[in-house]
Amino acid sequence: MLDRVLTRRREWQLRRCLNRGKLTFFCFVLTILVLRANFGAGRFGTPEKDLDEIRETLSYIRRRAEPRRVLEEISMERKSIGGSNSYADFDVRKIFNDEDDGVEEFKRDSSLPYSLGPKISDWDQQRGEWLKKNPGFPNFLGENKPRVLLVTGSSPKPCENPVGDHYLLKSIKNKIDYCRVHGIEIFYNMALLDAEMSGFWAKLPLIRKLLLSHPEVEFLWWMDSDALFTDMAFGLPWERYKDQNLVMHGWKEMVYDEKNWIGLNTGSFLLRNCQWSLDLLDTLAPMGPKGKAREEAGKILTRDLKGRPVFEADDQSAMVYILATQKERWGEKVYLENAYYLHGYWGILVDRYEEMIENYHPGLGDHRWPLVTHFVGCKPCGKFGDYPVERCLKQMDRAFNFGDNQILQMYGFTHKSLSSRKVIRFRNDTSNPLQFKDELGLLHPSFKAVNVQTRS
C-alpha cells in the first residue's frame, strides 16, 4: 500500500514539473516574440539579420542616452564651479587673459635695424607677371575703376569701456554700406601681426602683407575705426590719381614749407599697390618699433616739426617728416587732397548737419556734405579721450545716422532725428514697388550694370 501511495505522489510531481515546463516554454516563446517586435527583428529575417538589428537598436538607445548624460555632467560641473548664466555678472577678463603656453615668442635681434620683412626690389615685375597669368583677377574693373580694398580694424581684445564695442560695430556697418554701394572690397583686421609695431604703427605690417597677398588690388584704402562715411553718394575721382601712388588729405604748403605735423592726416588714405609703396613703408618702419627706437624718433619729430608736442613717434608725424625732408624722392607721386574731405575733422562738421540737409545734397564730398567725418581724439574704444565722453558719443551717433539715412532712404525709411536710433517710414509701400526712383542712384549704380550682347 505504501508503494502505491509513493507511486501516485511521484506521478503528481512529474505532472507538476511537466506543467511548469510547458508554462516556462510558453513564456520563453512569448518573450522572443516581444523582443522581435520591439527590436525590429519581427520582420522574420534570418537569425543573423535578427541579431544585427538587435545590436543596432541597442546602439541607438545608448546614443539617445548619451546627450542627456553629457548635459547632466555639464550641469553638475557648472554647479561645482559656481558658474552664472548672467553676462552682467561675468568678469569677461577671465577669458581674454593671454595664456602662457611655454613657447617663447620670436624676438628680433636688437642689434639689427628693424624691417617689415625681406627686402623686395622687383615687385612691379612680379605683380605684372601675376596679372598676366591671372586675367580673371584684373586690377581694374572698368575704365577709371580700379579694384580697391578698404582696410580697417580694431584691437583683438574688447574695448576698455562698456559702449566702445557698440560704436565699433556702428563704424564697420557704416563702412560696409559705403563699400557695397561703390563696389569696394573690405578687410577688417583684429590681429596684431607684429608685437613691436603696436599702436599707431600696427597698420604698417598689415598693409604690406595685404599688398603682397593681393596683387589684383590696385589701391588699398586705409581708414581708422573712428572715421565714418557721411556721404554715401560720393565716388572718388580716380582719374585724378592715375599718376599718383599715395593720396592723403592735406595741404602742400603746410607739409613742404611749414613742416607742420598736422599738415596731413593718415587716418584715411589711398596707397597704390606698387614697388614705390613698399619702399615708402620700408622707409617709415624704423621709427615704429616700440621702445627706444620709437622714443628717439619722437624726439627728432618734435624737434623738426612745427607745433608737435613731446611724445613718441607716430605714423602721421613720420609721414610729414619724410615728405618734407625727402621731397625729391617722394613728392612727385604724392597727392595731398583738399578738394573734398577724405578726412574731415568732426569738431567743425557735426553741428552743421542740419544746415547741410537744408541747403545741399549728398554727392558733394566737401564742406557742404563731407565724405568722411573723423572723430580724432574721441578714442571711443579706450578708457580716456581728449574730449568729453558724452559729447563724443552723441556726435558719433549723429554722424552715423547722417550717413545711415542715405542708405535707409533707398527703402523708404529715415531716422526720426539725427540723435535718435528709431526709424520712421516716409513713404508707403504699394503693389507697384518699382515705380519709386532712387534719387541718389545708390540702389543700382552704373558700374554694377553688365553689358549683355544680343544675338542678331
Side-chain angles (χ1 to χ4, degrees):
M1 185 175 178
L2 182 61
D3 293 340
R4 187 177 300 176
V5 172
L6 290 175
T7 301
R8 290 178 180 177
R9 184 175 182 183
R10 185 176 302 171
E11 180 181 356
W12 176 79
Q13 288 178 342
L14 289 174
R15 288 180 179 178
R16 188 175 65 170
C17 289
L18 181 61
N19 290 335
R20 287 181 178 178
K22 290 179 180 180
L23 180 61
T24 301
F25 179 76
F26 175 76
C27 291
F28 174 75
V29 172
L30 183 62
T31 301
I32 293 298
L33 292 176
V34 171
L35 287 175
R36 289 170 65 85
N38 288 340
F39 290 108
R43 291 185 293 273
F44 301 100
T46 64
E48 182 179 358
K49 182 178 180 181
D50 292 347
L51 184 59
D52 290 340
E53 291 181 352
I54 291 174
R55 287 173 178 170
E56 290 179 3
T57 304
L58 292 175
S59 176
Y60 172 73
I61 293 174
R62 285 195 297 268
R63 288 198 301 270
R64 289 192 61 184
E66 183 68 17
R68 180 178 178 181
R69 181 184 65 81
V70 172
L71 290 174
E72 289 176 350
E73 290 179 357
I74 292 175
S75 178
M76 294 179 62
E77 180 181 358
R78 184 173 61 187
K79 291 180 181 178
S80 66
I81 64 176
S84 171
N85 292 344
S86 172
Y87 285 96
D89 298 335
F90 180 70
D91 184 1
V92 72
R93 292 174 297 180
K94 292 181 179 180
I95 62 173
F96 285 102
N97 288 330
D98 292 331
E99 298 181 0
D100 184 6
D101 56 7
V103 180
E104 185 176 357
E105 294 184 4
F106 171 78
K107 293 185 178 180
R108 178 180 61 87
D109 186 350
S110 57
S111 64
L112 300 176
Y114 177 84
S115 69
L116 293 171
K119 178 64 177 177
I120 298 177
S121 303
D122 61 343
W123 177 239
D124 289 341
Q125 179 182 349
Q126 290 189 48
R127 179 170 178 257
E129 293 175 355
W130 188 94
L131 290 172
K132 289 180 180 179
K133 294 179 180 178
N134 296 272
F137 296 90
N139 55 327
F140 277 82
L141 304 177
E143 186 177 1
N144 297 324
K145 181 66 178 176
R147 186 189 295 270
V148 181
L149 177 65
L150 187 137
V151 182
T152 186
S154 59
S155 169
K157 292 186 178 182
C159 290
E160 297 177 311
N161 67 72
V163 297
D165 290 298
H166 176 66
Y167 283 87
L168 286 180
L169 179 61
K170 284 190 168 185
S171 175
I172 187 59
K173 190 270 184 191
N174 168 270
K175 293 176 176 64
I176 290 172
D177 281 338
Y178 182 88
C179 290
R180 183 184 67 252
V181 168
H182 292 274
I184 295 174
E185 300 174 31
I186 189 167
F187 184 97
Y188 194 93
N189 180 62
M190 294 182 66
L192 181 60
L193 302 187
D194 189 331
E196 287 192 85
M197 301 293 274
S198 58
F200 304 111
W201 298 91
K203 62 171 71 87
L204 263 67
L206 173 63
I207 289 174
R208 186 178 190 270
K209 178 62 68 175
L210 291 175
L211 291 177
L212 298 178
S213 300
H214 294 279
E216 76 279 8
V217 170
E218 184 65 19
F219 272 102
L220 184 148
W221 186 346
W222 171 266
M223 197 167 179
D224 285 353
S225 60
D226 58 355
L228 298 173
F229 285 106
T230 42
D231 190 342
M232 294 294 178
F234 184 84
L236 299 192
W238 297 109
E239 173 66 19
R240 188 183 302 175
Y241 311 134
K242 62 180 181 179
D243 297 322
Q244 280 16 88
N245 295 334
L246 175 62
V247 182
M248 298 176 289
H249 190 85
W251 297 265
K252 288 183 178 181
E253 59 276 10
M254 291 183 67
V255 173
Y256 297 116
D257 299 335
E258 301 176 15
K259 296 183 181 179
N260 194 311
W261 80 291
I262 57 172
L264 55 80
N265 186 274
T266 55
S268 174
F269 63 85
L270 309 170
L271 185 66
R272 190 183 296 275
N273 194 349
C274 63
Q275 181 65 50
W276 184 96
S277 299
L278 296 184
D279 293 341
L280 178 64
L281 294 176
D282 288 341
T283 303
L284 287 168
M287 299 186 190
K290 64 181 180 181
K292 184 177 180 180
R294 192 183 297 183
E295 293 170 0
E296 292 300 319
K299 295 177 182 179
I300 296 175
L301 297 176
T302 298
R303 181 194 67 196
D304 292 351
L305 299 181
K306 180 181 178 180
R308 187 182 191 274
V310 178
F311 66 100
E312 63 183 16
D314 64 293
D315 62 313
Q316 179 172 301
S317 299
M319 183 69 75
V320 173
Y321 178 80
I322 288 175
L323 294 183
T325 58
Q326 303 178 32
K327 182 180 179 180
E328 296 77 12
R329 181 179 180 184
W330 309 106
E332 183 180 355
K333 293 294 183 179
V334 175
Y335 196 103
L336 296 178
E337 180 66 82
N338 48 61
Y340 65 89
Y341 281 12
L342 186 60
H343 147 83
Y345 174 57
W346 67 279
I348 62 174
L349 295 174
V350 183
D351 289 328
R352 297 179 47 240
Y353 283 158
E354 283 81 4
E355 175 191 342
M356 298 174 190
I357 294 172
E358 183 178 354
N359 298 307
Y360 304 108
H361 55 82
L364 300 173
D366 55 18
H367 63 282
R368 297 168 294 176
W369 202 289
L371 171 63
V372 173
T373 300
H374 191 183
F375 286 84
V376 179
C378 277
K379 303 175 183 177
C381 199
K383 287 185 178 180
F384 303 98
D386 301 331
Y387 301 93
V389 173
E390 183 177 3
R391 181 189 176 198
C392 281
L393 297 184
K394 284 185 175 180
Q395 299 294 56
M396 289 185 74
D397 282 334
R398 283 171 52 82
F400 173 82
N401 291 342
F402 185 72
D404 197 40
N405 278 345
Q406 299 162 54
I407 299 298
L408 291 175
Q409 64 84 28
M410 295 188 285
Y411 310 104
F413 292 87
T414 186
H415 283 273
K416 190 173 182 180
S417 72
L418 291 183
S419 300
S420 176
R421 296 187 300 272
K422 294 183 179 180
V423 298
I424 57 176
R425 186 189 302 271
F426 66 82
R427 70 166 180 249
N428 293 323
D429 291 340
T430 71
S431 59
N432 187 16
L434 299 180
Q435 69 178 334
F436 295 109
K437 183 179 180 181
D438 173 26
E439 296 180 358
L440 300 180
L442 301 182
L443 267 176
H444 303 100
S446 58
F447 75 87
K448 288 187 177 180
V450 177
N451 293 325
V452 179
Q453 296 180 352
T454 57
R455 296 180 180 180
S456 56

